[in-house]
Structures are given as structure tokens and as C-alpha cells.
Amino acid sequence: LNPRPEHNILIAEKMKTWIVLLLWACAHQSVNAVALSRGPVRRKTKEIEGRQDKDLLRRSKRGWMWRQFFLQEEYTGTEHQYIGKLHSDMDKGDGTVMYVLAGDGAGTIFVIDSNSGDLHATRSLDREEKPFYTLRAQVVNKKTGLPLEPETEFTVKLHDINDNEPKFDKEVYTASVPERSHIGTYVTQVTAQDADDEMFGYSAKLSYSISQGHPYFSVEPNTGIIRTALGPSDMDREQREHYQVVIEVKDMAGQKGGLTGTTTVNISLTDVNDNPPRFMQSIYQFSVPEITKVESSVGRIRAVDADVGRNAEMDYTVVGGDGLDVFDVSTDRNTQEGILSLKKPLDYEKKKSYTLQIQVQNTHPDPRFLSSDAKDMATIRVSVEDVNEPPHFEKISYILEVKEDAAVGTMIGSVSAVDPDIRRSPVKYSIDRHTDVDWIFGVYVGNGSIFLQRPLDREEFAWHNISVIATDRSSFGMNLVPVYIRVLDVNDNPPMLASFYETFVCENAKAGQKIQTISAVDPDDPVGGHRFLFSLAPESSVRANFSLRDNGDNTAGIFTQRTGFGRMHKSTHLVAVVISDGHIPMQSSTGTGTLTIRVCTCDRDGNMEMCNAEALSSAAGLSTGALVAILLCILILLLIVVLFAALKRQKKKEPLIISKEDVRDNVVSYNDEGGGEEDTQAFDIGALRHPEVMEESKLRRDILPSESLYPPPPLRKTLVPSRENADVRNFINQRVQENDGNPTAPPYDSLATYAYEGNGSVAESLSSLGSMSSEGEQDYNYLSEWGPRFRKLADMYGGEDSDWDS
């Protein structure tokens, strides 16, 4: 029997490893033996020629030479690990030389016996941390410390052992492969790393295997490539989409005792278009009102596809039935549903139902998995619902014409509409008054004839756009149609001057000189355009002064008929121009065609220098609107002046108390004369005669009271005599006591005024009621003693002429 190829490879690898190990052991023993017995190899001396004396000089011999030592990593012994021995020819064994070590880890990791030259490692080393160390050794005199030989460099290399397990680059891999793939289809590749020395033995020789994921996937042992292990029929995404595969890696070429590591690979099957769409039902039924607008949606149909994404996109088409030209179907790309829409208007009275054949197929079929005939069919039945439709006009719009001089009641035209329902209800017509707010037109309810209700004027409105409403007898259906009425022009407006012409003639003007060119306008719009005729009015008295020449292009020129005009003799001339059109009936105007020609002083070149005031005012006269505006401004100014004067005449009343802080010695002035005791409207005298009815705790009002935490003390009620003078006197005394005992009163005197004169007055009472004697019995001679200011009174009442000297 022939052995397996994999077994032969393993045997050859093992043999190779053992041979390498044997050669390394032999080399290591030979090197150490040389170092211990023979000592270092001597180098040949070199001779150097001198430039002057040609003497031969010899270099000192280097008594040792070595390159490297070997040391096994991960040493687990308790004593220092022996590396080798250093020896020099200078060492005679008499203890006069000393070995000195320097370099990587000298004195810490590596130590040397200064007397014998034995080299040791003080601790366990890791090759993966550092694979080799470079050291330097030298022999010096123990007494003087001087080097006996040059310094020599050597290395200590670490031999690897299998102390590191392999590790994958990722803990979790993600991969995908199309469904329906063939056996051996590449999926992905996993890789692992081993920190051990791959040049020594099988410590870093890795082998991959699959521990979970059978029988769907497999992995190549040497490369880590994952491939499919089953055929297309077993790798169906619609049956199973996700797989979890566990890959194991082992060093020592997968042999027993090797270290292992694992990783997880999540594999997904991607979709291919291997499933056709299928309708969820074979027959669909919809109903739609007959008034549904074109392009409106009637309903939705749905087919399902087991595939996803782009492979699940589908197209719907109408392939048969009696509604091919009435209905259409499209695809909603978001939901992959078929939308049935209306292509043409429906009419229940003509056709009440439709049958459609709908086909669905993939938009992007894959010929590897589906044939071109992979499609599905369904039937759609559409029922048309009858509704009360509004009347339908025969036209979508109407254009009518009428002359502007048409009489009221003239028939302009008519509109026509019919009820499309089976019962054919009569149609009523009306005008939408939002489009004819002036009620210019009317329509007959029964037949739709439009007539004129008010006179027309083309120059005001050339077009009238109205809407006619048609309703059936049930009043549920209503429809509108626009009616455009054009007003035809009639020659009913006379022409007039195009503008106001400021015409002047120079005093030194010559006969036949052109002084103005005039034109005309006409609001009418004749078919062939305007043709104006200009002439002077027959009754005009200025034929001897000015003439008119028609230019034939709707303009005319005004010319002088004589030489020289006197501004002082006549400053303005009125020229009546007759303007007529050439249409039927002919219209002409004279009142609106009168020119005012001023006579002005001009220079030699004909430039105006001065005109009289009358001419200027007439030429530059203000319009009626300007005059009205000026008069309104003047009237407003007069009203403002009158209002200001009225406000100034009103005198401002002074306050009773000017200062809120100090009310001492204030004079209270009144501009109204009192009416005495007969004036019962000013105050109530009963309050003075019966003070006991007043509130005892009433605060004063002639001052600003201060806030107090204590209420005023109770006032003692006094009996008031019945006599009038005693009443007033007691009232005043009571007020004095109230003020003296009121803590809210200010700490200064205040003036309280009462209408009581008191007793003992020389003048006594001034009231006529209290006077005991008549006016004739009074003696007014004492007025003469009061001085010049009372002289007038003394003359009036004294009865004697005064002999005062003024």
C-alpha cells in the first residue's frame, strides 16, 4: 500500500528537524570545547614598514576570538544557566588577569566570573521578547586595571521552544458568498501568526482545520482558505441565509501536542435572482366612480418575490382585456406594488365594467437561474359606479361678440349643456355674479341665451369675461363654463387734440411762417386705423391772421397769414380747429380743438423773450384740480389758526394749593363771583348750622396727611346753641380743637378760610339781607377820606362834588 502524500510530507519534515537539532548540538559542543581546552584561535601578525628607519614593528597577539554562544529560552532551573567559558592566552593561571564583560544585559542578565571566565545567565529569557544579545569581553590586569588585549564582541542567541500558541489576526471574520454557488467556491481566507521561531523546528508550522460548519464549508490546512463544500441546490438563501463557522489553527504542523487557537467566521449567503414574482391572488376586483379624474389611482395589486433588493424588483403590465386603452398599471418602486390608474374618462351610461389581464415579471432577470418566461398572470375586474354628474357643456369655452351701441335686451349668443345621466334631467342656466357684479348681462334659464341688460362702452371695457353656471333639476350637479364677450367698436367718439399746445407767435413773424404742428387722438378703434381731417372752423374770424394745412398723416400745421403782430394791441388769438374722422358715422369736434396763440417778443432767431402777463397766466393757468387743492390747503390753515386762537383764549385755572409741601399764607383766588346766601347750588349752609351731623373723624383735605400708626383721638362732642352766630362760633371752635388734637396735622400753622366775618367789624356785614337801613339812609361821606382810589365811589354815593386836587 502506498502511504498518503500528507504522511510522507510529515515524515520528511520530522527527519529534517532531527538532523538540524543533531548538527546544532555537535556545533555547540565543539565551540565550548575550543573555549575550554584550546582557548581562542590566534590571529596572524602583520608587519608594518616605517617611512624613515624601515624597522619592523610587531602587533601584540590577540589571545582569544569567538563569535557566538547559544542558550535555550524559558529556562526553569533554580541555578544560573551556564552559557560557556571565556579564556585568554594572557591568563597563566596565576590570578593576575581579570575578565570584564560589557554590552546588552551585562551585569544584570549575564554575569562572568572575573577569575575563571565562566559566563552565566541569571534568569530565564524569552526569545520572542529578544532573540539575541550582543556582548563585549576584555582581559585586564587585575592590579593596574589596564587592558591586556583589545576588546572582543560576541553574541548570545536564544534557542526557541514551542511556548506560544498561534493567534488569528481577527477574533471574528465576516464573509459572504452568493447562493447557488458550486462546490469549492472561494469564500474568504483566515490567517494566524505564531510568535515562535519558524526557522527552528515545527513550533511555528501552522495547520488549519474546521471544527464547526460541516458539511457546508471546508478550509485548506496550509493556507486557511475557506470554500463551499456543498452544491448549488443545498446553498439556498431562501432556506438558510447565515452560517457560523469555527476555524481552528494548530502549530507543530497539526501534530499531537501542538498549541491551538480558534476564530469564528460569520458567512452570509447573498441573494441571486432565482425566484420569480407571484401574485397573491388570481382575481382582483375594484369599483370606481364614473367622475374619477384621469390619472387618478383606482387600486393596488401586489405580487411577492422571495428574493430581496434589486432581484425583487418587478414590472406590471396590462396585456389583455377590454380596458387596454382606459386603464394603465405602473410599479411603486418603494413597495413593489402595481398601481392601477385611469387613462381616459369613464362613463357609466356607456360602459359599466371592464376586465383586465395583468402580467408581472422581474425587472432584472438572471438567465443563469430563471428563464425569460418566468412571469405570472392575474385578472382585474373594474366596476364603474353611477353618480349624479353635472351637466356637460358642448364647448370648454365660448367667445361672443356684441356692438357697443347694442340696445338693452339685445341677444348676444347662447351656451348649451346636457345632463349626461340616464334620466337626462333638464338644465338650468345662470350667471356667476362674482364675474358680473354690475349685472351687465343676463341669461335665460331654460335655453342658455345671453342678452344685454345695461348699455356697453367699448372705450371703458373692451372685453367682458363671465361664467355661466349649468345645473340639473336636482341641483346636485353644477358646472361652469367661461364666456368671453368682445365689445365691437362703433364710431361714437369725436377726435380731439392730442395734448395741450403752448403756441406762441412772434411780433416780428412773417407771413407763411409755421408756428405749430398739431395731432389728434380718438378713443375709437376703427378696423383700418385712424384717418383725421383738419380744417379751420368756418365761423372763425382769424382767417386773415392764421391758416391751417393738413399734412395727410393725421397731423396739421398752423401758419401765419400776415406779417407782424402787435402784442400791445392783442396779446392772444383763439384759433378754432375742426377735427373729423373719416368713418361712418363721421364724428368731428371744434370745442375741444381750440388753440390759444400768444403774441410774444422774440429775438432775431425766433426765440421767445417775453410775453404779457395775461398770456402767461392763460397759458400757464392752473387746472381745476390744482385750484381745488390750493383752496383746501388754505381752508385747513384757517381752521388750524382758529383752533389755536380758541385754545389761547381759554385761561388756565390755578390750583387751590400751589405747593404740596407748604400751605402757609397761601392766597386762594376764585374768578367766579358768589351768589350770597341765595346761592344754594354752591354749598349747603345746613352743614354749618348743624355740625353735629358731620363725621367726627373726618380728616382734613386742605393738606397732605402723613401716614400714622396711631388713629386720631376721639373728639369730644359739644352742644351747639341754636343761635346762628353761636352755631358758627362753636363750629369754628370745634374745628380748632380737632386740628390741635389731630396727630396727622403738619407741625406748622395752616390757613383755614370760613365764610364768617366775626363780631366787631367796623364795616359790619356787606349782605343786603342783614342791612338794617336803606341805601338812602347811609352816609357815604367817609369814602372821601379813603383817598384817590375811592374817589369814583365817593362821587357816586356821596352826592357832593369832590374838591380834591388831582
Side-chain angles (χ1 to χ4, degrees):
L1 295 177
N2 294 328
R4 295 177 60 185
E6 294 82 353
H7 184 66
N8 294 337
I9 293 173
L10 291 176
I11 293 174
E13 293 291 340
K14 289 181 180 180
M15 293 179 64
K16 187 186 296 183
T17 302
W18 286 111
I19 292 172
V20 173
L21 287 173
L22 182 60
L23 292 176
W24 172 81
C26 293
H28 182 67
Q29 294 295 329
S30 63
V31 171
N32 289 340
V34 171
L36 293 173
S37 61
R38 296 176 56 193
V41 179
R42 296 180 180 272
R43 291 186 175 181
K44 294 181 179 180
T45 59
K46 294 183 179 180
E47 295 181 355
I48 302 175
E49 291 184 357
R51 293 183 179 180
Q52 297 180 355
D53 53 4
K54 306 298 184 180
D55 294 336
L56 296 176
L57 300 177
R58 292 183 178 272
R59 294 181 60 190
S60 60
K61 296 181 180 180
R62 177 173 294 178
W64 56 12
M65 192 179 82
W66 58 86
R67 290 298 181 189
Q68 60 186 0
F69 289 98
F70 294 93
L71 182 66
Q72 189 175 4
E73 69 167 336
E74 303 294 345
Y75 174 70
T76 59
T78 58
E79 298 180 355
H80 290 180
Q81 188 177 5
Y82 180 75
I83 300 175
K85 185 178 182 64
L86 304 181
H87 184 74
S88 175
D89 292 341
M90 295 296 179
D91 187 2
K92 304 300 182 180
D94 54 1
T96 59
V97 298
M98 182 176 61
Y99 295 91
V100 179
L101 186 65
D104 295 341
T108 57
I109 301 176
F110 302 100
V111 294
I112 189 171
D113 190 338
S114 60
N115 295 322
S116 63
D118 292 336
L119 186 63
H120 292 82
T122 61
R123 62 180 176 88
S124 176
L125 300 178
D126 187 1
R127 190 201 67 83
E128 287 73 33
E129 182 179 349
K130 191 170 185 178
F132 65 89
Y133 295 84
T134 302
L135 299 172
R136 299 183 304 277
Q138 193 174 28
V139 180
V140 298
N141 189 291
K142 185 179 291 186
K143 293 182 180 181
T144 63
L146 297 176
L148 301 178
E149 288 184 352
E151 190 178 59
T152 302
E153 184 179 86
F154 65 95
T155 60
V156 176
K157 290 187 177 181
L158 298 179
H159 274 307
D160 182 49
I161 63 174
N162 190 17
D163 59 343
N164 292 280
E165 70 276 2
K167 295 182 179 179
F168 283 96
D169 296 341
K170 300 179 181 178
E171 293 183 0
V172 178
Y173 288 82
T174 301
S176 62
V177 63
E179 64 172 333
R180 305 284 182 180
S181 296
H182 295 282
I183 297 177
T185 302
Y186 174 86
V187 179
T188 187
Q189 183 178 11
V190 295
T191 56
Q193 307 295 332
D194 195 322
D196 294 327
D197 189 0
E198 59 185 19
M199 301 300 296
F200 181 77
Y202 291 99
S203 298
K205 184 66 175 179
L206 304 180
S207 176
Y208 299 91
S209 62
I210 184 169
S211 61
Q212 178 182 328
H214 292 293
Y216 303 99
F217 300 95
S218 63
V219 62
E220 295 181 0
N222 297 328
T223 61
I225 295 176
I226 302 174
R227 301 181 183 274
T228 59
L230 295 179
S233 59
D234 297 320
M235 304 296 287
D236 190 0
R237 188 198 65 84
E238 288 73 31
Q239 298 296 327
R240 182 177 178 183
E241 183 176 2
H242 301 289
Y243 297 86
Q244 190 177 70
V245 179
V246 178
I247 303 297
E248 182 183 87
V249 62
K250 192 174 185 180
D251 58 11
M252 298 300 293
Q255 298 179 19
K256 187 176 181 180
L259 303 179
T260 61
T262 60
T263 186
T264 301
V265 182
N266 295 322
I267 302 175
S268 300
L269 298 183
T270 58
D271 184 58
V272 297
N273 194 0
D274 58 342
N275 294 281
R278 300 294 181 189
F279 281 107
M280 300 184 66
Q281 57 191 73
S282 59
I283 298 176
Y284 295 86
Q285 293 185 351
F286 299 102
S287 60
V288 55
E290 62 174 333
I291 60 173
T292 302
K293 296 182 179 180
V294 176
E295 297 183 356
S296 298
S297 175
V298 176
R300 288 175 175 255
I301 57 178
R302 185 180 181 184
V304 294
D305 193 329
D307 298 323
V308 294
R310 188 172 184 268
N311 298 322
E313 294 181 2
M314 58 191 74
D315 293 326
Y316 299 86
T317 53
V318 180
V319 295
D322 55 359
L324 285 172
D325 56 342
V326 181
F327 297 94
D328 192 14
V329 65
S330 59
T331 304
D332 186 345
R333 292 304 174 188
N334 295 324
T335 62
Q336 298 302 320
E337 294 178 326
I339 304 175
L340 186 66
S341 58
L342 193 63
K343 291 172 59 177
K344 291 183 178 180
L346 299 175
D347 191 351
Y348 174 81
E349 288 71 27
K350 293 182 179 180
K351 191 172 180 61
K352 298 178 177 59
S353 64
Y354 295 88
T355 301
L356 304 173
Q357 297 295 326
I358 304 297
Q359 173 184 285
V360 62
Q361 61 181 358
N362 281 125
T363 306
H364 311 285
D366 192 339
R368 297 177 302 172
F369 308 104
L370 292 176
S371 64
S372 58
D373 297 333
K375 56 189 69 174
D376 197 16
M377 302 289 293
T379 302
I380 298 179
R381 296 174 181 174
V382 181
S383 300
V384 182
E385 297 179 353
D386 185 26
V387 296
N388 185 17
E389 297 181 79
H392 290 180
F393 284 95
E394 295 179 354
K395 299 179 180 180
I396 59 175
S397 64
Y398 292 84
I399 299 178
L400 306 178
E401 294 180 348
V402 60
K403 291 186 177 182
E404 63 175 323
D405 61 347
V408 174
T410 301
M411 191 68 61
I412 301 174
S414 63
V415 296
S416 178
V418 295
D419 185 7
D421 296 329
I422 296 178
R423 52 182 176 273
R424 299 296 180 183
S425 300
V427 178
K428 298 185 297 182
Y429 300 92
S430 62
I431 293 179
D432 184 2
R433 289 306 169 185
H434 293 92
T435 61
D436 185 22
V437 295
D438 296 329
W439 292 68
I440 300 176
F441 304 96
V443 62
Y444 289 106
V445 176
N447 57 12
S449 298
I450 301 174
F451 59 92
L452 191 63
Q453 293 188 149
R454 295 182 61 181
L456 299 173
D457 187 1
R458 191 204 66 83
E459 287 72 34
E460 184 178 359
F461 294 105
W463 285 88
H464 293 270
N465 303 328
I466 64 174
S467 296
V468 178
I469 302 173
T471 57
D472 53 20
R473 293 300 182 185
S474 63
S475 299
F476 292 113
M478 181 183 69
N479 200 1
L480 287 85
V481 66
V483 179
Y484 308 105
I485 301 175
R486 180 184 179 183
V487 181
L488 302 178
D489 183 51
V490 176
N491 192 22
D492 57 347
N493 292 283
M496 62 185 66
L497 290 176
S499 63
F500 176 78
Y501 294 96
E502 294 184 0
T503 307
F504 71 93
V505 62
C506 297
E507 289 183 315
N508 56 358
K510 297 181 180 179
Q513 181 178 348
K514 183 178 179 179
I515 61 174
Q516 184 68 55
T517 299
I518 61 175
S519 61
V521 293
D522 191 340
D524 293 326
D525 187 18
V527 177
H530 292 289
R531 176 63 181 94
F532 299 121
L533 303 176
F534 298 88
S535 62
L536 293 178
E539 67 276 6
S540 178
S541 61
V542 296
R543 285 188 178 274
N545 296 327
F546 301 97
S547 63
L548 184 144
R549 184 182 304 168
D550 195 336
N551 298 327
D553 57 354
N554 292 336
T555 63
I558 305 297
F559 297 86
T560 57
Q561 286 286 85
R562 61 184 179 88
T563 301
F565 290 87
R567 182 169 62 87
M568 302 302 297
H569 178 264
K570 189 173 183 180
S571 61
T572 58
H573 297 271
L574 299 178
V575 179
V577 179
V578 177
I579 308 173
S580 59
D581 53 25
H583 302 282
I584 299 174
M586 180 177 291
Q587 300 287 341
S588 62
S589 62
T590 56
T592 57
T594 301
L595 285 175
T596 300
I597 302 176
R598 298 176 293 160
V599 180
C600 302
T601 302
C602 305
D603 56 11
R604 294 182 178 180
D605 297 330
N607 298 321
M608 181 181 63
E609 291 183 346
M610 182 181 64
C611 292
N612 60 332
E614 179 184 357
L616 287 173
S617 63
S618 62
L622 297 175
S623 63
T624 303
L627 292 176
V628 171
I630 293 173
L631 291 177
L632 287 176
C633 292
I634 295 173
L635 182 60
I636 292 173
L637 290 176
L638 290 176
L639 290 176
I640 293 174
V641 171
V642 171
L643 181 61
F644 181 75
L647 292 176
K648 291 289 290 183
R649 292 188 60 183
Q650 292 183 357
K651 293 185 178 179
K652 191 174 181 181
K653 293 184 179 181
E654 297 180 357
L656 179 63
I657 300 176
I658 300 176
S659 175
K660 295 183 179 180
E661 300 296 333
D662 190 358
V663 295
R664 294 176 294 178
D665 299 333
N666 289 333
V667 179
V668 181
S669 302
Y670 298 92
N671 293 327
D672 299 330
E673 184 176 355
E677 291 83 354
E678 296 180 355
D679 188 2
T680 59
Q681 300 297 329
F683 62 91
D684 187 6
I685 194 64
L688 296 176
R689 294 177 178 175
H690 303 284
E692 66 275 3
V693 300
M694 299 179 61
E695 295 180 5
E696 296 180 353
S697 62
K698 188 175 183 181
L699 299 179
R700 295 183 49 181
R701 297 184 179 180
D702 57 338
I703 61 173
L704 182 64
S706 61
E707 296 181 359
S708 176
L709 298 176
Y710 304 99
L715 300 179
R716 184 175 58 184
K717 185 174 182 181
T718 59
L719 296 177
V720 182
S722 60
R723 294 175 301 175
E724 291 186 1
N725 292 342
D727 292 343
V728 176
R729 184 183 303 110
N730 292 334
F731 176 79
I732 294 175
N733 293 333
Q734 182 180 351
R735 286 301 185 190
V736 172
Q737 293 179 4
E738 291 177 3
N739 291 333
D740 292 340
N742 188 2
T744 61
Y748 45 77
D749 296 335
S750 62
L751 179 62
T753 304
Y754 300 95
Y756 177 72
E757 296 182 4
N759 296 328
S761 174
V762 178
E764 297 182 354
S765 177
L766 299 178
S767 175
S768 60
L769 297 177
S771 179
M772 299 303 295
S773 61
S774 63
E775 184 179 354
E777 299 175 355
Q778 297 289 332
D779 184 8
Y780 297 102
N781 292 329
Y782 61 86
L783 295 176
S784 300
E785 300 175 358
W786 286 9
R789 295 185 179 181
F790 295 92
R791 182 176 181 179
K792 188 65 176 179
L793 291 175
D795 294 341
M796 294 174 59
Y797 294 94
E800 296 180 358
D801 296 336
S802 175
D803 55 355
W804 293 340
D805 295 332
S806 61

